[in-house]
């Protein structure tokens, strides 16, 4: 009995996590990898999807989405990481084509168009001083895969809309330059969420506790998803 109790208390087994691709990339280095180093007997299975899924019906233990997209019947742990979109281009592209000063200026530029999981073309969102605008950009390429978009923007094909965390290294190295900074507001933070359960496994409890310590956040309930709320990952890179 002591051996059985010891095995039950030691985090082990598989945890299945469903996340938007951008969300998975954001938590991978500071949450998932450190957790695996601390708990080597746990296996984490991450599935990335652009659409919003029912994690219970899909057989997942946890989900990661923007806080404003977490269903109301879930327990949510805000991860507290500041997030924002950035518009970027290479120095050579900007030298050749100029720097856009307002979102409307993008109509004069070649941009990397992004197809959402539902098939629609993503309109780039901007906001400043209470004014919101969505731009239907034009360009020579339409993509739905982040690594291809990063390769294209670094090749000076055009401007790209990206998550800041995805291109921070390129910006700091000078390979990419941010434009329209005053038009790209802070986004809703990420939340780790899950259904209430009576007998969570040791691995599940360990992961939630680890996430809480890493983020310094407390558990809160989120509002329900409205009928007009987007249900796709609109951050292309």
């Amino acid at each position: 009995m002591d051996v059985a109790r010891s095995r039950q208390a030691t985090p082990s087994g598989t945890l299945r996590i469903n996340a938007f691709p951008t969300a998975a990339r954001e938590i991978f280095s500071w949450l998932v990898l450190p957790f695996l180093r601390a708990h080597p007997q746990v296996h984490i299975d991450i599935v990335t999807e652009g659409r919003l899924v029912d994690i219970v019906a899909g057989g997942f233990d946890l989900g990661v989405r923007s806080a404003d997209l977490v269903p109301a019947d879930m327990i949510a742990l805000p991860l507290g990481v500041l997030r924002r979109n950035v518009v970027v281009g290479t120095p050579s592209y900007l030298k050749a084509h100029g720097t856009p000063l307002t979102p409307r200026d993008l109509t004069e530029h070649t941009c990397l168009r992004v197809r959402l999981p539902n098939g629609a073309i993503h309109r780039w969102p901007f906001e400043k001083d209470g004014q919101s605008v969505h731009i239907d950009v034009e360009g020579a390429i339409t993509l739905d895969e982040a690594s291809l978009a990063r390769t294209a923007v670094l090749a000076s094909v055009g401007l790209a809309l990206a998550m800041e965390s995805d291109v921070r290294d390129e910006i700091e190295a000078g390979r990419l330059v941010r434009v329209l900074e005053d038009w790209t507001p802070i986004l809703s933070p990420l939340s780790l969420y899950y259904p209430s359960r009576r007998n969570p496994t040791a691995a599940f409890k360990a992961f939630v506790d680890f996430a809480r310590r890493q983020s310094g956040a407390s558990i809160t309930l989120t509002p329900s998803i409205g009928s007009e709320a987007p249900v796709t990952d609109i951050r292309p890179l």
Side-chain angles (χ1 to χ4, degrees):
M1 291 179 64
D2 288 340
V3 170
R5 276 193 289 267
S6 175
R7 289 176 177 171
Q8 290 175 352
T10 301
S12 61
T14 297
L15 286 176
R16 300 192 71 227
I17 301 174
N18 186 283
F20 283 159
T22 53
R25 293 195 296 273
E26 287 182 61
I27 69 169
F28 198 69
S29 295
W30 68 268
L31 178 56
V32 175
L33 295 182
F35 176 81
L36 290 175
R37 285 192 289 268
H39 302 282
Q41 296 185 49
V42 177
H43 176 86
I44 292 183
D45 180 1
I46 299 177
V47 175
T48 60
E49 298 185 71
R51 63 189 182 94
L52 188 64
V53 303
D54 183 337
I55 62 171
V56 176
F60 295 97
D61 298 290
L62 303 138
V64 182
R65 293 290 188 273
S66 298
D68 57 337
L69 296 183
V70 177
D73 58 348
M74 293 286 166
I75 297 173
L77 173 62
L79 297 179
V81 179
L82 291 179
R83 311 165 67 237
R84 65 181 298 185
N85 285 325
V86 291
V87 178
V88 291
T90 60
S92 61
Y93 174 88
L94 295 173
K95 182 178 180 180
H97 301 278
T99 299
L101 301 179
T102 72
R104 299 294 181 188
D105 294 339
L106 293 174
T107 59
E108 306 298 323
H109 285 265
T110 297
C111 300
L112 297 177
R113 305 174 79 228
V114 175
R115 182 182 296 106
L116 299 174
N118 63 5
I121 301 301
H122 178 47
R123 299 173 70 209
W124 291 14
F126 298 96
E127 182 180 331
K128 181 180 179 181
D129 299 331
Q131 178 186 2
S132 297
V133 61
H134 290 73
I135 303 297
D136 188 7
V137 299
E138 296 293 336
I141 302 177
T142 300
L143 300 167
D144 64 0
E145 211 290 314
S147 62
L148 294 178
R150 184 179 290 105
T151 299
V153 70
L154 287 170
S156 300
V157 171
L159 300 175
L161 179 71
M163 284 298 299
E164 184 178 36
S165 58
D166 282 342
V167 292
R168 184 174 291 116
D169 290 345
E170 285 82 2
I171 293 172
E172 292 177 352
R175 293 188 292 271
L176 291 176
V177 176
R178 273 185 288 208
V179 299
L180 301 175
E181 288 188 66
D182 54 341
W183 281 91
T184 51
I186 300 297
L187 301 173
S188 178
L190 292 178
S191 281
L192 180 73
Y193 67 96
Y194 52 91
S196 177
R197 55 180 62 189
R198 291 183 179 180
N199 299 302
T201 65
F204 179 91
K205 290 189 292 185
F207 189 83
V208 172
D209 289 343
F210 190 86
R212 185 182 296 111
R213 291 194 301 271
Q214 290 290 92
S215 65
S218 58
I219 290 178
T220 59
L221 291 176
T222 62
S224 59
I225 301 176
S227 59
E228 278 105 32
V231 294
T232 55
D233 182 6
I234 63 171
R235 272 71 65 183
L237 287 185

